[in-house]
Amino acid sequence: MLGVAVVVIGSLLPGKDLPPLPVSDKLEHFAAYAALAAGAVQLFARRLSWGFICLLLVLMGIGLEYLQASMKLGRMLDRNDALANTLGVLIGLATAFTPLRDLLLRFDRRH
């Protein structure tokens, strides 16, 4: 939930209030949504849950783009941001089919 809150707040802050980062904003979008989707894979056991959460993340990304445009805070709707979000969600979901699937469980067993 903290990750979702950070993404929502970061998406709705006025553009002038965002710290400059040395990477493309598309890469930021991609990485944030990949991390959120990969986190869902770690937290939920059922594939149906992964699909549902990932669908919600894609819809959240699209919704936040529309909110940016409507709030008039120096941000604008960017379809490429929504695309980067969606690609990030897909890559995060794909971690379910890699050895990363149970990374948090393995970490938990060690501590």
Side-chain angles (χ1 to χ4, degrees):
M1 294 307 294
L2 179 60
V4 170
V6 167
V7 168
V8 169
I9 291 167
S11 296
L12 297 179
L13 281 174
K16 64 180 176 49
D17 292 342
L18 294 172
L21 294 175
V23 296
S24 159
D25 78 314
K26 304 306 179 259
L27 184 58
E28 292 172 26
H29 282 264
F30 176 84
Y33 281 82
L36 291 175
V41 167
Q42 295 291 310
L43 294 174
F44 297 99
R46 294 181 37 209
R47 289 182 182 193
L48 184 60
S49 298
W50 302 339
F52 182 69
I53 296 297
C54 288
L55 175 63
L56 290 178
L57 288 172
V58 168
L59 293 174
M60 180 181 85
I62 293 168
L64 287 171
E65 287 300 317
Y66 279 100
L67 281 173
Q68 286 178 352
S70 68
M71 292 177 67
K72 310 283 189 229
L73 294 173
R75 308 285 294 269
M76 61 182 194
L77 184 145
D78 186 342
R79 287 180 176 85
N80 290 327
D81 286 349
L83 178 61
N85 298 343
T86 301
L87 292 174
V89 168
L90 293 173
I91 292 299
L93 178 60
T95 65
F97 308 103
T98 71
L100 297 174
R101 164 64 186 102
D102 296 319
L103 185 65
L104 288 180
L105 287 174
R106 288 194 306 268
F107 179 77
D108 190 45
R109 286 185 198 128
R110 290 184 183 159
H111 291 87

